[in-house]
Amino acid sequence: MNQRLLAKTFVELADNLVADFDLIDFLRLLTDRCVGMLDASAAGVLLADHDGELRVMAASDEQVRLLELFQLQNDEGPCLDCFRTGAPVVVTDLVEEADRWPRFVAAAHRSGFRSVQALPMRLRDDVVGALNLFRTRRGPFEPDATPLAQALADVATISLLQQRTAHRSTVLNEQLQSALNSRVLIEQAKGKLAERRGIDMEQAFTTLRGYARAHNRRLSDLARAFIDDSEPLPGLRS
Protein backbone atom coordinates (compact mmCIF):
# COMPACT_ATOMS: atom_id res chain seq x y z
CA MET A 1 0.00 0.00 0.00
CA ASN A 2 1.18 3.50 -0.80
CA GLN A 3 1.72 4.91 2.70
CA ARG A 4 2.35 8.42 1.41
CA LEU A 5 -0.96 8.44 -0.47
CA LEU A 6 -2.73 7.04 2.58
CA ALA A 7 -1.36 9.81 4.80
CA LYS A 8 -2.25 12.42 2.17
CA THR A 9 -5.79 11.07 2.00
CA PHE A 10 -6.32 11.37 5.76
CA VAL A 11 -5.09 14.97 5.62
CA GLU A 12 -7.38 15.80 2.69
CA LEU A 13 -10.41 14.24 4.37
CA ALA A 14 -9.71 16.16 7.57
CA ASP A 15 -9.27 19.49 5.78
CA ASN A 16 -12.91 20.58 5.73
CA LEU A 17 -12.83 24.11 7.10
CA VAL A 18 -11.82 25.78 3.84
CA ALA A 19 -14.07 28.49 2.42
CA ASP A 20 -14.82 26.62 -0.80
CA PHE A 21 -15.55 23.22 0.77
CA ASP A 22 -17.27 21.10 -1.90
CA LEU A 23 -19.17 18.15 -0.46
CA ILE A 24 -19.54 16.29 -3.76
CA ASP A 25 -15.83 16.48 -4.57
CA PHE A 26 -14.97 15.59 -0.96
CA LEU A 27 -17.03 12.40 -1.08
CA ARG A 28 -15.81 11.46 -4.55
CA LEU A 29 -12.26 11.74 -3.20
CA LEU A 30 -13.24 9.25 -0.49
CA THR A 31 -14.61 6.70 -2.98
CA ASP A 32 -11.72 7.09 -5.42
CA ARG A 33 -9.09 6.60 -2.74
CA CYS A 34 -10.88 3.52 -1.36
CA VAL A 35 -10.70 1.94 -4.79
CA GLY A 36 -7.14 3.10 -5.36
CA MET A 37 -5.71 1.96 -2.03
CA LEU A 38 -7.93 -0.78 -0.65
CA ASP A 39 -9.15 -4.17 -1.74
CA ALA A 40 -12.17 -2.85 -3.65
CA SER A 41 -13.31 -2.75 -7.27
CA ALA A 42 -15.77 0.11 -6.70
CA ALA A 43 -17.09 2.28 -3.89
CA GLY A 44 -20.10 4.44 -3.12
CA VAL A 45 -21.35 6.77 -0.39
CA LEU A 46 -24.91 7.14 0.83
CA LEU A 47 -25.82 10.08 3.06
CA ALA A 48 -29.06 10.92 4.83
CA ASP A 49 -30.77 14.16 3.84
CA HIS A 50 -32.60 16.51 6.22
CA ASP A 51 -35.59 14.15 6.27
CA GLY A 52 -33.43 11.15 7.14
CA GLU A 53 -33.78 9.65 3.66
CA LEU A 54 -30.67 8.11 2.14
CA ARG A 55 -29.30 9.57 -1.07
CA VAL A 56 -26.50 8.48 -3.38
CA MET A 57 -23.92 11.22 -2.96
CA ALA A 58 -20.80 9.75 -4.57
CA ALA A 59 -19.68 6.69 -6.50
CA SER A 60 -16.38 5.65 -8.02
CA ASP A 61 -18.08 4.80 -11.32
CA GLU A 62 -21.45 4.91 -13.04
CA GLN A 63 -22.15 1.21 -12.59
CA VAL A 64 -21.96 1.32 -8.81
CA ARG A 65 -23.96 4.58 -8.72
CA LEU A 66 -26.81 2.80 -10.47
CA LEU A 67 -26.52 -0.18 -8.13
CA GLU A 68 -26.70 2.14 -5.10
CA LEU A 69 -29.81 3.77 -6.58
CA PHE A 70 -31.27 0.29 -7.11
CA GLN A 71 -30.82 -0.44 -3.40
CA LEU A 72 -32.69 2.70 -2.43
CA GLN A 73 -35.48 2.18 -4.94
CA ASN A 74 -36.04 -1.41 -3.81
CA ASP A 75 -35.41 -0.74 -0.11
CA GLU A 76 -33.03 -3.66 0.34
CA GLY A 77 -29.31 -4.27 0.44
CA PRO A 78 -26.27 -4.28 2.72
CA CYS A 79 -25.79 -0.52 2.61
CA LEU A 80 -29.29 0.15 3.91
CA ASP A 81 -28.88 -2.45 6.66
CA CYS A 82 -25.57 -0.85 7.64
CA PHE A 83 -27.14 2.61 7.90
CA ARG A 84 -30.15 1.41 9.86
CA THR A 85 -28.18 -0.65 12.39
CA GLY A 86 -25.05 1.50 12.56
CA ALA A 87 -22.98 -1.68 12.27
CA PRO A 88 -20.72 -2.95 9.46
CA VAL A 89 -22.17 -5.47 7.01
CA VAL A 90 -19.57 -7.74 5.42
CA VAL A 91 -20.57 -10.26 2.75
CA THR A 92 -17.82 -12.37 1.21
CA ASP A 93 -20.16 -14.15 -1.21
CA LEU A 94 -23.38 -12.44 -2.26
CA VAL A 95 -24.88 -15.73 -3.45
CA GLU A 96 -25.23 -16.75 0.18
CA GLU A 97 -27.44 -13.71 0.86
CA ALA A 98 -29.87 -14.23 -2.03
CA ASP A 99 -32.74 -14.97 0.38
CA ARG A 100 -31.96 -11.86 2.43
CA TRP A 101 -31.70 -9.40 -0.49
CA PRO A 102 -33.01 -11.22 -3.58
CA ARG A 103 -33.36 -8.20 -5.87
CA PHE A 104 -30.11 -6.58 -4.78
CA VAL A 105 -28.07 -9.77 -5.16
CA ALA A 106 -29.43 -10.30 -8.67
CA ALA A 107 -28.66 -6.70 -9.62
CA ALA A 108 -25.17 -6.87 -8.10
CA HIS A 109 -24.41 -10.03 -10.08
CA ARG A 110 -25.60 -8.37 -13.28
CA SER A 111 -23.14 -5.56 -12.51
CA GLY A 112 -20.34 -8.06 -11.96
CA PHE A 113 -20.01 -7.74 -8.18
CA ARG A 114 -19.59 -10.83 -5.99
CA SER A 115 -18.80 -9.45 -2.51
CA VAL A 116 -19.41 -6.25 -0.57
CA GLN A 117 -18.79 -4.57 2.73
CA ALA A 118 -20.80 -1.61 3.99
CA LEU A 119 -19.29 0.54 6.73
CA PRO A 120 -21.21 3.06 8.84
CA MET A 121 -20.36 6.73 8.71
CA ARG A 122 -21.03 7.43 12.36
CA LEU A 123 -19.76 9.23 15.42
CA ARG A 124 -21.08 7.68 18.62
CA ASP A 125 -24.85 7.44 18.06
CA ASP A 126 -24.97 9.83 15.11
CA VAL A 127 -25.10 7.84 11.84
CA VAL A 128 -25.05 10.09 8.78
CA GLY A 129 -24.56 7.50 6.03
CA ALA A 130 -22.61 4.51 4.80
CA LEU A 131 -19.42 3.86 2.84
CA ASN A 132 -19.82 0.85 0.57
CA LEU A 133 -17.04 -1.21 -1.02
CA PHE A 134 -17.77 -3.69 -3.82
CA ARG A 135 -15.55 -6.38 -5.32
CA THR A 136 -15.81 -8.43 -8.51
CA ARG A 137 -14.59 -11.61 -6.82
CA ARG A 138 -15.76 -13.71 -3.90
CA GLY A 139 -13.86 -14.16 -0.66
CA PRO A 140 -12.76 -12.10 2.33
CA PHE A 141 -11.31 -8.65 1.94
CA GLU A 142 -7.65 -8.13 2.71
CA PRO A 143 -7.11 -8.08 6.52
CA ASP A 144 -6.03 -4.43 6.57
CA ALA A 145 -8.70 -3.23 4.13
CA THR A 146 -11.68 -3.17 6.49
CA PRO A 147 -10.12 -1.25 9.40
CA LEU A 148 -8.52 1.23 6.99
CA ALA A 149 -11.79 1.77 5.15
CA GLN A 150 -13.58 2.29 8.47
CA ALA A 151 -10.89 4.77 9.52
CA LEU A 152 -11.38 6.72 6.28
CA ALA A 153 -15.14 6.67 6.81
CA ASP A 154 -14.66 7.88 10.39
CA VAL A 155 -12.46 10.79 9.35
CA ALA A 156 -14.93 11.78 6.64
CA THR A 157 -17.79 11.59 9.14
CA ILE A 158 -15.95 13.76 11.65
CA SER A 159 -15.35 16.30 8.89
CA LEU A 160 -19.05 16.37 8.01
CA LEU A 161 -20.08 16.70 11.65
CA GLN A 162 -17.50 19.42 12.24
CA GLN A 163 -19.17 21.34 9.44
CA ARG A 164 -22.44 21.01 11.32
CA THR A 165 -20.88 22.08 14.61
CA ALA A 166 -19.16 25.05 13.02
CA HIS A 167 -22.25 26.36 11.28
CA ARG A 168 -25.05 24.89 13.37
CA SER A 169 -27.14 21.89 12.47
CA THR A 170 -29.21 23.64 9.82
CA VAL A 171 -26.15 24.30 7.70
CA LEU A 172 -25.34 20.62 7.16
CA ASN A 173 -28.94 20.03 6.09
CA GLU A 174 -28.75 22.98 3.72
CA GLN A 175 -25.38 21.77 2.49
CA LEU A 176 -26.70 18.27 1.84
CA GLN A 177 -29.70 19.70 -0.02
CA SER A 178 -27.38 21.95 -2.02
CA ALA A 179 -25.22 18.93 -2.78
CA LEU A 180 -28.27 17.04 -4.00
CA ASN A 181 -29.11 19.95 -6.30
CA SER A 182 -25.50 20.02 -7.47
CA ARG A 183 -25.68 16.29 -8.14
CA VAL A 184 -28.61 16.87 -10.50
CA LEU A 185 -26.68 19.59 -12.35
CA ILE A 186 -23.61 17.38 -12.64
CA GLU A 187 -25.65 14.43 -13.94
CA GLN A 188 -27.24 16.70 -16.57
CA ALA A 189 -23.85 18.04 -17.61
CA LYS A 190 -22.42 14.51 -17.78
CA GLY A 191 -25.25 13.44 -20.06
CA LYS A 192 -24.87 16.45 -22.33
CA LEU A 193 -21.09 16.04 -22.61
CA ALA A 194 -21.34 12.27 -23.11
CA GLU A 195 -23.82 12.72 -25.95
CA ARG A 196 -21.80 15.51 -27.55
CA ARG A 197 -18.49 13.61 -27.52
CA GLY A 198 -19.80 10.07 -27.86
CA ILE A 199 -18.24 8.93 -24.58
CA ASP A 200 -19.64 7.12 -21.54
CA MET A 201 -20.89 8.82 -18.39
CA GLU A 202 -17.81 8.03 -16.31
CA GLN A 203 -15.50 9.53 -18.95
CA ALA A 204 -17.76 12.58 -19.05
CA PHE A 205 -17.50 13.01 -15.28
CA THR A 206 -13.72 12.63 -15.35
CA THR A 207 -13.52 15.28 -18.09
CA LEU A 208 -15.73 17.71 -16.20
CA ARG A 209 -13.89 17.26 -12.92
CA GLY A 210 -10.49 17.58 -14.61
CA TYR A 211 -11.60 20.80 -16.31
CA ALA A 212 -12.97 22.21 -13.05
CA ARG A 213 -9.75 21.49 -11.19
CA ALA A 214 -7.54 22.79 -13.99
CA HIS A 215 -9.48 26.06 -14.01
CA ASN A 216 -9.95 26.29 -10.22
CA ARG A 217 -13.73 26.13 -10.40
CA ARG A 218 -16.42 24.41 -8.38
CA LEU A 219 -17.71 21.40 -10.24
CA SER A 220 -21.35 22.39 -9.77
CA ASP A 221 -20.71 25.91 -11.11
CA LEU A 222 -18.98 24.50 -14.16
CA ALA A 223 -21.84 22.06 -14.73
CA ARG A 224 -24.39 24.87 -14.62
CA ALA A 225 -22.37 27.00 -17.06
CA PHE A 226 -22.00 24.04 -19.42
CA ILE A 227 -25.71 23.21 -19.34
CA ASP A 228 -26.81 26.83 -19.76
CA ASP A 229 -24.24 27.61 -22.49
CA SER A 230 -23.55 30.81 -20.54
CA GLU A 231 -19.74 30.72 -21.05
CA PRO A 232 -17.40 29.77 -23.89
CA LEU A 233 -15.52 27.12 -21.81
CA PRO A 234 -12.68 26.64 -24.32
CA GLY A 235 -11.43 23.09 -24.47
CA LEU A 236 -14.66 21.69 -23.06
CA ARG A 237 -17.20 22.68 -25.69
CA SER A 238 -14.91 21.91 -28.61
Side-chain angles (χ1 to χ4, degrees):
M1 182 177 297
N2 188 326
Q3 298 297 327
R4 181 174 297 179
L5 180 59
L6 179 62
K8 181 174 184 288
T9 300
F10 277 113
V11 171
E12 289 173 321
L13 291 175
D15 186 18
N16 66 91
L17 297 179
V18 294
D20 59 346
F21 178 76
D22 187 322
L23 182 59
I24 295 293
D25 203 43
F26 173 82
L27 295 174
R28 181 60 189 249
L29 171 70
L30 175 61
T31 60
D32 286 353
R33 293 294 171 80
C34 283
V35 173
M37 298 186 303
L38 305 178
D39 187 27
S41 305
V45 172
L46 302 179
L47 284 184
D49 64 15
H50 62 280
D51 293 322
E53 296 293 325
L54 281 176
R55 307 288 184 179
V56 180
M57 298 306 298
S60 61
D61 59 48
E62 185 68 11
Q63 193 172 45
V64 80
R65 186 185 75 84
L66 294 175
L67 182 59
E68 296 279 44
L69 284 172
F70 184 89
Q71 283 194 85
L72 298 181
Q73 291 165 356
N74 288 275
D75 194 34
E76 70 168 45
C79 309
L80 274 72
D81 286 4
C82 173
F83 173 74
R84 289 165 178 165
T85 64
V89 176
V90 180
V91 180
T92 58
D93 187 349
L94 280 167
V95 171
E96 297 177 356
E97 300 295 339
D99 292 338
R100 184 180 181 186
W101 310 304
R103 289 168 292 185
F104 170 79
V105 170
H109 269 249
R110 287 195 297 270
S111 298
F113 299 119
R114 299 295 181 265
S115 58
V116 61
Q117 60 176 335
L119 304 169
M121 297 183 67
R122 63 177 298 168
L123 181 64
R124 301 183 182 91
D125 295 329
D126 199 349
V127 182
V128 301
L131 169 64
N132 315 304
L133 307 182
F134 299 86
R135 290 195 316 170
T136 56
R137 65 184 187 279
R138 298 179 179 87
F141 284 72
E142 293 295 327
D144 292 339
T146 299
L148 278 176
Q150 186 64 69
L152 291 171
D154 291 344
V155 171
T157 303
I158 291 169
S159 288
L160 293 173
L161 295 179
Q162 279 181 337
Q163 286 279 316
R164 176 160 55 181
T165 300
H167 302 287
R168 303 300 180 188
S169 60
T170 55
V171 172
L172 181 58
N173 291 334
E174 292 168 1
Q175 190 179 63
L176 288 175
Q177 190 60 50
S178 176
L180 287 169
N181 296 337
S182 296
R183 181 82 256 175
V184 172
L185 285 173
I186 293 166
E187 291 301 318
Q188 291 174 345
K190 281 166 54 178
K192 182 174 180 178
L193 184 61
E195 181 179 8
R196 177 171 296 181
R197 293 195 176 182
I199 57 178
D200 63 34
M201 294 288 276
E202 186 61 24
Q203 290 172 317
F205 179 84
T206 300
T207 299
L208 287 167
R209 186 166 70 157
Y211 191 95
R213 290 184 172 182
H215 293 79
N216 196 28
R217 299 192 57 166
R218 288 172 61 90
L219 184 57
S220 56
D221 292 341
L222 174 66
R224 185 186 297 278
F226 183 71
I227 293 167
D228 296 343
D229 290 320
S230 57
E231 299 178 33
L233 302 178
L236 190 60
R237 297 194 183 280
S238 58

